[in-house]
Amino acid sequence: MSVVTNTTTIGAIELPSRRNTELLLLVFAVVIPIFAYANVGLSIHGKLPPGMVAYGGGLAVLAGIAHLVVRRYAKYADPLLLPIATLLNGLGCVLIWRLDQSERLQNLAKRSFGHFSESAPRQMMYTAVAIALFAGVLLLLKDHRTLQRFTYISMAASLVLLILPVVPGLGADVFGAKIWISVGGFSIQPGEFAKIVIAIFFAGYLMVKRDALALASRRFMGLYLPRGRDLGPILMIWAMSLLVLVFENDLGTSLLFFGMFVIMLYVATERTSWIVIGLVMSVAGAGVVGATASHVKVRVNAWLDPFACYSKSGACEQVGQSIMSFGSGGVLGTGWGQGNSDLIGFAANSDFIFSTVGEELGLAGVMAFLLLYGLIIERGVRTALAARDPFGKLFAIGLSGAFALQIFVVAGGVMGLIPLTGMTMPFLASGGSSVLANWALIGILIRISDTARRPAPAPAPSPDSEMTQVVRPS
Amino acid sequence: MNKPLRRISIFCGLLVLALLIRTNWLQYVQAEELSTRKENRRVQIAQYATQRGNIIVAGGKAITGSDTTDGSDYKYKRTYIDGPLWAPVTGYASQAFGSTQLESLEDKILTGNDDRLFFDRTIGMFTGEKKAGGNVVTTLMPEAQQAAFDKLGTKTGAVAAIDPRTGAILALVSTPSYDPSSFAGNSKTDEKAWVELKDSAEKKLVNRALRETYPPGSTFKVVTAAAALEHGVVTDINAPTDTPEPFLLPTTKTPMVNHAKGCEKATLNFALQVSCNSVFANVADKVTKDKMLETAQKFGFNNDKIDTPVRAFASVYDKNMDRPSNSLSAIGQYNTAATPLQMAMVAAAVANDGKLMKPYMVDQLTAPNLDIIEKHEPQEMSRPLSPGNAQKLQQMMVNVVENENGTGGKAKISGVTVGGKTGTAQHGEKNAKRPYAWFISYAKTDKGSPVAVAVVIEDSEADREDISGGGLAAPVAKAVMEAVLKNQG
């Protein structure tokens, strides 16, 4: 008599694929933004928006394609990731369309650039490209472990991506942050893609070096300090993230990279000392930068008391406007299209798009959005837990940790919880690079979760098994 | 690797939790404070997002309106009908420069945000009606207002007229005035108009009837006379007082200057009629400062909470001064200062047989559909005089107007009993500046007194006491009283 035990995370039993759950959730993820779209049209123009069929149909088709690709190429993937990303992206388009209708922003654009162009159609186009990229990831990346081969290429690639914006003639200085490059009329933010590429490097490097880092270390003042040759790349990354910050005025990306690296290091080595070292290093880095870089100082002051320097500093005005947006929204919000979050100005549909959620959907809406992001993170961490190979575990936790940090840094910044860093809310903010990169990220997580949840191949029947079985007294 | 993974998941959870706590803090705990901050332009945007209700004067005529604008921030703009005439009543509501007076105080009714309009708003939500503002119905009488405004003409001055029986304010004029329409929007021209007004030497934005205090000069002698009668210093107004000529200010060697003749041992009645300074300085000294203060405060002096609902500045009768200063104060000099409204209240209290009614100018607040949501009930404020003493004082004030030697002859109206008192207040260093001309008066018919009025004119050309009050200010008061009498008769 055999005892069936199922103590591992991934059992040998046939798992339900959950594809129909995903489809049902996707229906909601498409219907809710359509209602939101109708709602904005009714409140701003008093009639249903003309593009409603096209918009709803477009979103449904994109979601359908994504679903079919997942159904065909990642059968056992996590069923929540795709619907949540679709919902956020759909609502993001509605938010951008809503801000496009703002006369205030239209006038501002006309004054500053001489013309106004709508962001929502572009965002829809980017979404379509992003879904294609998502499908491409699933089609081409049959097994995430193939990425291990690109460990050092990834490092080089991420360095190149990070440095591109400071290359003369290629980089574009947009509102003080040199994080853009423009190629043939399109501007992209290489940092968004570097986030994924560098996670590949970290995962590959740490998988190989984890034992050396964890064990070959000397104990010093209660901390386990690794050998210099193992520590080298870590210091390099730390220095690199600082350089990114200093040369590109990009506080967020450097924080993101460093945080992601510390998380992955800690997971790989299981040594708490890394957290301590990481914290000490980031505090030291932040101290140096805070004391030297003037634009960081401005942002810290804006964070400490936005209303003290409200009329004097643009940074204060933005943060002040943003938190007033949240405050004016109150518990239930003003309703789609009825707020005045466009008072924030030109960054209303990018860095500060979450303020529109705060004002028009209120506390209830903001919490719902945060929980949706929380769910994506949770599914990512769960994928890491379930992954059967260290590379997959590290890669998944790296991506989800970075995602969590990004949410925290962006939302915390616009809500005045931490100094503003100028990153964008994934899926919501207007901008092609962000949408593309985050859909690629979801694609990779789906691929890892598919591998993780795929039933293990049934072990070949062994003729010896009967003989080696331990006979327990019953 | 699963143990650190679980810890990282807790860490990520904490990050999200921190955000959740922060949003609750911002949107629940701090929401009220943030949404009403002065930096928050939404407050003004909401103020001008719907058609504002109107301020209406007696007879049902609206003196305000609303216009749509093509600016993106504010949909409606305030307009004013006869702006300069009514500016002291309405104040202004400007998209760019805030709002004052009734526009500011009754903002919630005018924008329709008042809690008492909640039901209307809820109904409107279902019937699809647009949110509209309620109306503020004032007690102001257009004829009286117009008469005062026309008579003041280009002179700098103010008029306040009250119905003594109820305290209803009938006229409130301040000149030179301004047109609140000229800067109601937020365009460049509005800004230019605003800056010009703000910096104008004539202080056009000041509501002189409520917000400017002047030395009341001889008109304050009515208060001194009331104190003398109430505190028993004088019982017979036709008995001679023991005032010498010259009268030296108590404890000093400074003689009190008289412009009038025949003040030695003059009766109180005669002293008011020709405006003897020495008699009132003498009487006030006998009343003593504390009792003078008591009576003055009963008339409303030193009260900084006279809300009509627009708050009038506190008129002053100094609480801490020595004996000679008390005598000077009793003739409306030294630190004594009064708003035109305050002096109208003095005349009103005398005319209403000693009972002072609380002045008010908002009669009703109505919903957009004209349902009354609040109606003012006349309230008694105090009783500075007994009815008997009030009648004695009335007799004295009538003498000022009716007697051929009286200083207020120009306020005489045939067929109606008119009581008054002139005043010329010197001010400035060594009284070098041109004096203010004052006149307070009331008219009385057999149905009681329908109007008491105070007029002050700055920058009068005349240099001799009482001539200017009687010559310049009295005709203005007469015109206002006639307008009210005509309207009521």
Side-chain angles (χ1 to χ4, degrees):
Chain A
M1 170 182 181
S2 65
V3 181
V4 178
T5 53
N6 187 19
T7 52
T8 54
T9 315
I10 303 303
I13 332 159
E14 177 81 9
L15 271 174
S17 75
R18 298 284 183 214
R19 290 283 66 79
N20 292 333
T21 313
E22 182 183 84
L23 186 61
L24 185 67
L25 290 174
L26 266 179
V27 171
F28 280 104
V30 171
V31 168
I32 292 170
I34 292 176
F35 272 118
Y37 189 53
N39 209 329
V40 176
L42 284 173
S43 82
I44 295 183
H45 302 300
K47 57 182 192 326
L48 289 174
M52 203 161 133
V53 175
Y55 169 76
L59 193 64
V61 166
L62 289 176
I65 291 170
H67 172 71
L68 288 178
V69 172
V70 172
R71 193 176 268 268
R72 171 75 180 78
Y73 295 98
K75 194 181 167 207
Y76 292 97
D78 190 289
L80 277 178
L81 286 168
L82 179 62
I84 295 174
T86 309
L87 177 60
L88 289 172
N89 199 151
L91 289 175
C93 285
V94 176
L95 286 169
I96 292 165
W97 186 74
R98 178 259 170 278
L99 289 168
D100 277 345
Q101 312 305 307
S102 150
E103 279 180 49
R104 211 174 276 139
L105 291 181
Q106 291 172 8
N107 293 338
L108 182 69
K110 277 178 203 147
R111 271 205 306 278
S112 327
F113 311 113
H115 72 282
F116 167 78
S117 60
E118 293 200 325
S119 305
R122 251 182 302 149
Q123 184 79 353
M124 270 311 270
M125 186 201 76
Y126 285 133
T127 306
V129 177
I131 298 278
L133 180 67
F134 169 83
V137 167
L138 290 183
L139 285 170
L140 298 176
L141 190 67
K142 289 274 187 267
D143 187 338
H144 62 267
R145 276 167 296 192
T146 46
L147 291 174
Q148 282 179 62
R149 290 181 222 147
F150 304 111
T151 300
Y152 290 94
I153 295 174
S154 299
M155 181 176 79
S158 65
L159 280 176
V160 168
L161 282 173
L162 279 179
I163 289 162
L164 274 180
V166 273
V167 173
L170 202 56
D173 190 333
V174 182
F175 304 124
K178 295 188 207 93
I179 51 176
W180 297 82
I181 57 169
S182 67
V183 186
F186 281 94
S187 40
I188 38 179
Q189 235 176 317
E192 290 277 359
F193 298 98
K195 178 173 74 182
I196 298 172
V197 179
I198 209 162
I200 298 173
F201 160 65
F202 285 158
Y205 178 81
L206 290 173
M207 188 193 69
V208 176
K209 294 279 179 150
R210 55 190 285 242
D211 289 334
L213 282 165
L215 302 172
S217 54
R218 279 161 307 184
R219 210 182 144 90
F220 176 73
M221 286 172 66
L223 293 175
Y224 292 94
L225 290 181
R227 293 178 303 186
R229 59 181 142 153
D230 301 323
L231 197 65
I234 300 160
L235 288 174
M236 200 186 84
I237 292 299
W238 182 59
M240 201 174 78
S241 62
L242 275 185
L243 285 178
V244 169
L245 168 57
V246 171
F247 287 111
E248 299 177 10
N249 290 356
D250 192 0
L251 198 69
T253 305
S254 58
L255 187 86
L256 191 70
F257 286 3
F258 191 67
M260 177 162 83
F261 187 50
V262 170
I263 287 174
M264 290 171 79
L265 201 53
Y266 169 62
V267 171
T269 60
E270 303 192 29
R271 285 236 181 263
T272 319
S273 49
W274 284 114
I275 301 281
V276 179
I277 295 170
L279 280 177
V280 170
M281 280 171 141
S282 50
V283 167
V288 170
V289 171
T292 52
S294 60
H295 77 278
V296 178
K297 249 188 268 180
V298 171
R299 288 188 167 176
V300 171
N301 286 336
W303 165 64
L304 288 174
D305 189 356
F307 294 110
C309 51
Y310 186 82
S311 50
K312 283 173 279 170
S313 148
C316 284
E317 206 215 318
Q318 279 190 330
V319 176
Q321 284 285 10
S322 175
I323 65 176
M324 284 191 291
S325 246
F326 278 93
S328 300
V331 174
L332 292 175
T334 57
W336 283 100
Q338 295 176 52
N340 289 299
S341 54
D342 46 358
L343 285 172
I344 293 167
F346 60 79
N349 67 4
S350 51
D351 294 23
F352 287 92
I353 196 153
F354 205 50
S355 314
T356 303
V357 177
E359 180 160 358
E360 303 199 340
L361 303 183
L363 176 60
V366 170
M367 293 215 287
F369 267 85
L370 288 176
L371 290 176
L372 286 176
Y373 282 114
L375 267 176
I376 291 189
I377 298 161
E378 189 258 355
R379 300 318 286 190
V381 175
R382 192 168 278 255
T383 298
L385 273 171
R388 280 171 273 190
D389 62 304
F391 178 78
K393 269 187 189 302
L394 285 169
F395 197 21
I397 194 66
L399 292 180
S400 352
F403 196 82
L405 281 173
Q406 183 160 358
I407 300 300
F408 178 74
V409 165
V410 184
V414 297
M415 292 197 285
L417 180 62
I418 55 167
L420 197 67
T421 51
M423 285 170 86
T424 54
M425 207 69 181
F427 298 115
L428 290 191
S430 154
S433 343
S434 173
V435 175
L436 286 171
N438 285 302
W439 271 107
L441 186 147
I442 293 292
I444 292 169
L445 281 180
I446 281 185
R447 166 55 66 222
I448 301 174
S449 76
D450 172 55
T451 320
R453 292 177 78 251
R454 186 179 294 278
S462 160
D464 299 335
S465 62
E466 284 299 318
M467 297 175 73
T468 53
Q469 195 170 14
V470 178
V471 179
R472 299 161 201 252
S474 57
Chain B
M1 287 200 275
N2 282 353
K3 202 166 119 197
L5 274 179
R6 288 179 205 280
R7 289 203 182 131
I8 293 296
S9 84
I10 291 170
F11 168 72
C12 292
L14 288 177
L15 290 183
V16 175
L17 185 68
L19 293 176
L20 287 172
I21 292 171
R22 176 65 182 177
T23 181
N24 272 280
W25 177 256
L26 272 185
Q27 304 199 267
Y28 185 74
V29 181
Q30 283 197 312
E32 179 71 28
E33 192 229 317
L34 285 171
S35 59
T36 52
R37 277 199 87 91
K38 65 177 181 345
E39 289 93 347
N40 200 337
R41 278 193 14 237
R42 290 167 188 80
V43 179
Q44 280 101 289
I45 291 174
Q47 222 170 3
Y48 298 103
T50 53
Q51 202 152 349
R52 214 167 151 78
N54 281 323
I55 296 175
I56 295 170
V57 292
K61 185 177 163 258
I63 52 172
T64 57
S66 273
D67 249 358
T68 50
T69 61
D70 42 4
S72 58
D73 273 10
Y74 310 116
K75 208 166 156 206
Y76 289 95
K77 183 174 120 169
R78 194 53 146 171
T79 56
Y80 295 86
I81 298 153
D82 285 336
L85 174 64
W86 294 108
V89 180
T90 55
Y92 54 81
S94 163
Q95 293 173 348
F97 310 107
S99 54
T100 56
Q101 311 214 16
L102 280 188
E103 290 277 27
S104 161
L105 289 167
E106 304 295 355
D107 187 62
K108 282 199 160 176
I109 288 287
L110 292 168
T111 52
N113 287 333
D114 195 277
D115 288 340
R116 288 168 290 185
L117 293 173
F118 177 77
F119 195 65
D120 291 78
R121 285 201 301 270
T122 317
I123 296 282
M125 218 155 78
F126 290 109
T127 57
E129 264 176 63
K130 279 203 165 172
K131 190 177 121 188
N135 300 309
V136 174
V137 182
T138 64
T139 55
L140 275 298
M141 191 183 283
E143 296 82 1
Q145 183 86 1
Q146 192 70 53
F149 190 72
D150 291 347
K151 271 285 175 186
L152 278 175
T154 54
K155 297 190 244 353
T156 303
V159 172
I162 305 179
D163 183 337
R165 298 165 298 184
T166 57
I169 295 176
L170 302 173
L172 210 59
V173 175
S174 172
T175 54
S177 192
Y178 62 96
D179 186 359
S181 303
S182 64
F183 56 93
N186 61 351
S187 67
K188 282 266 180 278
T189 42
D190 291 296
E191 192 185 341
K192 210 174 135 235
W194 165 255
V195 171
E196 262 170 31
L197 278 173
K198 200 158 60 75
D199 302 340
S200 74
E202 300 118 305
K203 297 202 288 180
K204 288 183 182 175
L205 286 171
V206 176
N207 181 355
R208 295 179 158 81
L210 295 181
R211 306 292 186 99
E212 190 87 320
T213 56
Y214 301 91
S218 301
T219 56
F220 191 78
K221 287 170 184 164
V222 175
V223 178
T224 309
L229 290 168
E230 276 296 291
H231 296 288
V233 173
V234 176
T235 45
D236 181 359
I237 56 168
N238 291 315
T241 56
D242 59 352
T243 317
E245 182 74 31
F247 173 75
L248 300 180
L249 284 173
T251 73
T252 70
K253 291 204 166 83
T254 317
M256 177 60 102
V257 180
N258 268 330
H259 298 285
K261 292 194 175 68
C263 290
E264 189 174 6
K265 298 201 190 305
T267 65
L268 198 63
N269 196 359
F270 180 76
L272 195 77
Q273 184 186 314
V274 299
S275 204
C276 290
N277 289 341
S278 56
V279 174
F280 284 94
N282 182 20
V283 165
D285 190 49
K286 293 204 177 106
V287 174
T288 73
K289 187 200 82 189
D290 288 345
K291 286 181 176 165
M292 278 296 294
L293 187 64
E294 185 195 317
T295 300
Q297 290 188 348
K298 275 189 187 164
F299 276 108
F301 279 82
N302 293 340
N303 183 346
D304 59 1
K305 290 200 175 63
I306 297 179
D307 296 334
T308 68
V310 177
R311 180 161 290 184
F313 274 11
S315 302
V316 181
Y317 193 79
D318 201 329
K319 287 179 179 172
N320 310 300
M321 54 185 174
D322 52 16
R323 267 180 73 190
S325 304
N326 180 45
S327 283
L328 267 176
S329 296
I331 62 160
Q333 299 288 341
Y334 191 60
N335 283 343
T336 310
T339 60
L341 177 73
Q342 173 61 62
M343 293 319 292
M345 284 159 68
V346 170
V350 175
N352 197 33
D353 293 338
K355 196 203 279 183
L356 177 58
M357 300 301 288
K358 191 174 181 296
Y360 69 96
M361 63 168 147
V362 173
D363 187 40
Q364 296 172 6
L365 301 177
T366 70
N369 60 7
L370 302 178
D371 283 349
I372 296 171
I373 52 178
E374 190 184 303
K375 179 151 175 57
H376 183 91
E377 292 299 329
Q379 289 162 21
E380 188 183 321
M381 194 168 146
S382 63
R383 290 193 187 226
L385 279 163
S386 70
N389 285 337
Q391 265 145 25
K392 283 181 192 165
L393 199 47
Q394 283 174 20
Q395 200 185 323
M396 289 159 68
M397 285 178 73
V398 169
N399 242 348
V400 172
V401 176
E402 308 274 326
N403 195 295
E404 58 188 271
N405 295 325
T407 51
K410 290 206 172 172
K412 212 181 286 182
I413 302 172
S414 61
V416 184
T417 315
V418 176
K421 180 72 195 88
T422 56
T424 304
Q426 291 166 333
H427 67 114
E429 196 103 339
K430 292 188 179 161
N431 298 335
K433 292 193 183 161
R434 284 172 172 170
Y436 298 129
W438 273 96
F439 193 74
I440 64 170
S441 68
Y442 65 86
K444 200 160 184 179
T445 64
D446 45 2
K447 281 179 271 175
S449 169
V451 59
V453 58
V455 177
V456 64
I457 296 174
E458 294 180 25
D459 193 35
S460 60
E461 299 286 342
D463 55 356
R464 212 185 77 78
E465 171 132 1
D466 292 314
I467 293 296
S468 62
L472 273 171
V476 181
K478 182 184 171 187
V480 175
M481 291 189 292
E482 278 179 335
V484 174
L485 288 165
K486 198 175 154 203
N487 204 42
Q488 303 238 317

